[in-house]
Amino acid sequence: MTLIKSISGIRGTIGGFAGDSLTPVDIVNFTYAYCAKMKERKKAFGKKYKVVVGKDARLSGEMVENLVVGTLIACGVDVIRIGFASTPTTEMAVTGLGADGGIILTASHNPKQWNALKLLNEKGEFLNAEEGQAILDCAASGRFNFCEVEELGHVVEEDYVKKHIKAVLKLDLVDRRAIRRARFKVVVDAVNSVGGVIMPQLLKELGVKVIQLNCKPTGDFAHNPEPLPANLTELSKAVVKNKADLGISVDPDVDRLALICEDGSPFGEEYTLVCVADYVLSAMSAMARRKDKDIDKVCKPYRFATSSNLSSSRALRDVTERLGGHYEASAVGEVNVVAKMKETGAIIGGEGNGGVIYPALHYGRDAMVGAALFLSNMAHRGLAATQLRATYPEYFIAKNKIQLSDPKLVDQVLDGVRKAFAKEDVNTIDGVKISFEAERKWVHLRRSNTEPIIRIYAEAPSQDIAEQLATKVMNIANDIIANDL
């Protein structure tokens, strides 16, 4: 049994003892703490608060939802229950329905025995580190003060899926006409979660012929739900068998988008964002060149800039700079990418795990808008997915980790590696990232938020070079550990 409490929420496996896994006691405790801190943050006297609650299709969803909704009512909070809804749908519902916050019941790509509470502020965005820590501290206190009967909250039901789809379709850079003319055929693998509710609807509205695979929202995941190539072999075979133009896979809460080319090969999760950013920046540049009168409507208040986290592929930076744009990296974590995008005014950004953030819609990873913009790019370029992929810089990533017996060693290892590469381009905003510009390669070491582990990602123009760089850094790290012992 596992229970992980972090500044971004609480997640764990269902069943077991309170405090050791995600039990009803832990769910109530954490929901209460969220309510208490939400009220402090809003500081509105004599006002009813509203919170949106959405869930993916996990087997434990109904149980967790009932506990969360009941606790919110007991705290005097009105609940807008939107049922089966993706993470981005729930995020958009918070602002669209004028709520004070939101709780998403999903463990994202974790297996079916897991569930989680992901917490949103009144902007439909994830809480920052300070806000998240305040909730952890409140939950640890174990003190509760529920409302009297006259002050109890109430529940209303709302379906926000169609509104999410409509908002995507209304975006200026989603070219419905071009996509319809292309007559695409797409296979969708929604791993039997809420992606099967929303993604086929969007694609059909775009004029795409949809072949559904694992699209019944039963919560009985047909395969490991993380949308990695090793887990998408069934989708790859279905794309080839049906002579489809593209395969689309989403994780259970539909914030990550993975793509399969027409020959069954992976497009590469790192390249989902790269391709979408290429399309957005190219469209923005073309409008500027021809002095299109609609450019302000499409692009304001954003700048010709992109952002992703330090562990994402360099390919986004290459494409951005090739088109004359500005790129900046953030610390790992969606909330950090969003903060960097707001700081730089980036028109597009996200993470290398297939997470596309398009602020013209909302500040959150959204596979729906990612798919719509990707298909717009394919339609405009007139290229098959494999051909489109070949237009982007080729990079390979090696992912490793070092398990530590003593968490105190993490800082020593990071500091030792930083000193070992002091003559290189070193970034320390999130662990240590060393860039070797002339060789177009980098390595990033960062601590895990939940385990005594150092994650080591290395990227280079070939897999061999990436592995060699990772090995070199791991050997240095291991020497530091051995000398300390």
Side-chain angles (χ1 to χ4, degrees):
M1 297 297 177
T2 305
L3 182 65
I4 300 172
K5 302 173 184 179
S6 72
I7 58 173
S8 59
I10 185 171
R11 63 189 173 103
T13 52
I14 299 297
F17 291 98
D20 293 334
S21 55
L22 192 62
T23 70
V25 174
D26 299 289
I27 293 166
V28 170
N29 187 15
F30 207 72
T31 303
Y32 175 86
Y34 171 73
C35 289
K37 293 304 170 181
M38 176 189 69
K39 291 179 179 181
E40 286 183 13
R41 189 174 71 250
K42 293 292 290 183
K43 293 182 179 176
F45 180 76
K47 173 194 172 205
K48 274 284 189 180
Y49 295 87
K50 290 193 296 185
V51 169
V52 175
V53 177
K55 64 180 179 181
D56 70 13
R58 288 171 187 274
L59 299 174
S60 60
E62 182 178 3
M63 181 270 288
V64 176
E65 180 186 41
N66 288 339
L67 288 163
V68 168
V69 170
T71 305
L72 291 170
I73 293 170
C75 290
V77 173
D78 288 337
V79 179
I80 306 174
R81 184 159 51 191
I82 62 174
F84 283 153
S86 70
T87 284
T89 303
T90 308
E91 291 169 342
M92 292 184 65
V94 171
T95 54
L97 298 173
D100 300 295
I103 300 179
I104 311 164
L105 311 179
T106 175
S108 191
H109 61 271
N110 288 108
K112 64 183 180 181
Q113 63 267 34
W114 288 74
N115 212 326
L117 279 64
K118 293 186 176 181
L119 310 176
L120 305 174
N121 62 19
E122 67 275 12
K123 297 178 182 178
E125 299 168 13
F126 290 113
L127 305 182
N128 62 34
E130 183 180 354
E131 293 165 337
Q133 187 59 54
I135 290 172
L136 289 176
D137 293 341
C138 182
S141 73
R143 298 182 64 186
F144 301 93
N145 182 18
F146 293 106
C147 292
E148 296 182 5
V149 66
E150 294 87 357
E151 300 172 336
L152 295 176
H154 299 88
V155 180
V156 296
E157 309 282 343
E158 181 83 32
D159 183 352
Y160 213 80
V161 168
K162 286 185 171 59
K163 292 180 181 179
H164 185 179
I165 293 172
K166 184 177 180 181
V168 172
L169 295 174
K170 285 177 63 177
L171 292 168
D172 292 282
L173 293 188
V174 173
D175 196 333
R176 299 173 65 179
R177 186 174 299 176
I179 294 172
R180 191 172 293 276
R181 282 199 305 261
R183 302 173 67 87
F184 290 127
K185 183 194 295 186
V186 173
V187 182
V188 175
D189 181 354
V191 73
N192 290 334
S193 191
V194 295
V197 174
I198 190 169
M199 186 64 80
Q201 288 187 52
L202 171 68
L203 295 176
K204 289 173 183 176
E205 289 285 345
L206 289 168
V208 174
K209 182 177 180 180
V210 181
I211 299 168
Q212 298 187 33
L213 181 67
N214 305 319
C215 282
K216 294 180 180 179
T218 63
D220 190 10
F221 301 152
H223 54 76
N224 185 311
E226 187 165 14
L228 300 175
N231 303 326
L232 302 180
T233 55
E234 183 185 11
L235 176 59
S236 294
K237 291 175 182 176
V239 169
V240 174
K241 179 182 177 181
N242 290 281
K243 297 180 179 178
D245 299 288
L246 191 69
I248 288 178
S249 175
V250 293
D251 60 342
D253 68 328
V254 205
D255 61 355
R256 290 173 59 179
L257 174 67
L259 305 164
I260 300 295
C261 298
E262 78 284 354
D263 65 351
S265 64
F267 193 85
E269 63 173 353
E270 288 284 343
Y271 285 82
T272 299
L273 173 59
V274 173
C275 180
V276 171
D278 172 42
Y279 170 67
V280 170
L281 293 175
S282 295
M284 188 178 179
S285 179
M287 293 179 78
R289 285 197 306 272
R290 63 176 182 262
K291 299 181 179 179
D292 193 308
K293 60 182 176 60
D294 290 328
I295 189 169
D296 284 348
K297 181 176 71 171
V298 175
C299 301
K300 276 190 174 179
Y302 311 110
R303 293 179 56 228
F304 200 62
T306 66
S307 183
S308 61
N309 68 47
L310 286 169
S311 285
S312 296
S313 176
R314 176 191 166 118
L316 177 62
R317 171 186 154 185
D318 288 358
V319 167
T320 300
E321 293 178 348
R322 185 188 71 200
L323 292 168
H326 174 71
Y327 169 83
E328 284 193 34
S330 77
V332 173
E334 181 176 335
V335 66
N336 298 315
V337 177
V338 167
K340 179 60 70 174
M341 291 178 68
K342 289 180 177 181
E343 175 190 326
T344 62
I347 193 169
I348 187 79
E351 296 184 294
N353 58 7
V356 174
I357 301 173
Y358 188 50
L361 182 66
H362 69 114
Y363 275 108
R365 295 184 305 180
D366 191 326
M368 304 293 290
V369 74
L373 293 172
F374 186 94
L375 290 170
S376 297
N377 198 12
M378 279 186 68
H380 276 246
R381 298 284 293 274
L383 299 174
T386 51
Q387 295 171 324
L388 185 58
R389 174 64 177 79
T391 66
Y392 300 122
E394 189 76 14
Y395 290 107
F396 299 83
I397 289 183
K399 297 183 179 182
N400 297 275
K401 62 184 178 182
I402 295 178
Q403 183 85 40
L404 300 172
S405 57
D406 183 356
K408 295 179 182 177
L409 288 172
V410 173
D411 289 334
Q412 294 180 39
V413 170
L414 295 178
D415 189 55
V417 171
R418 178 186 61 79
K419 291 176 180 177
F421 292 95
K423 294 183 179 180
E424 306 295 341
D425 180 5
V426 179
N427 185 315
T428 58
I429 66 171
D430 185 5
V432 177
K433 181 173 181 176
I434 305 111
S435 298
F436 305 83
E437 288 298 314
E439 300 163 85
R440 296 188 304 129
K441 65 183 183 180
W442 55 262
V443 61
H444 184 204
L445 295 83
R446 60 183 297 271
R447 72 173 66 239
S448 167
N449 291 327
T450 57
E451 303 172 86
I453 286 174
I454 296 177
R455 303 192 186 281
I456 301 176
Y457 289 7
E459 184 182 62
S462 78
Q463 190 67 46
D464 284 345
I465 296 174
E467 296 286 357
Q468 290 168 13
L469 177 57
T471 299
K472 179 179 179 180
V473 172
M474 288 179 71
N475 287 339
I476 294 172
N478 286 325
D479 287 343
I480 294 169
I481 295 168
N483 289 334
D484 185 83
L485 297 176

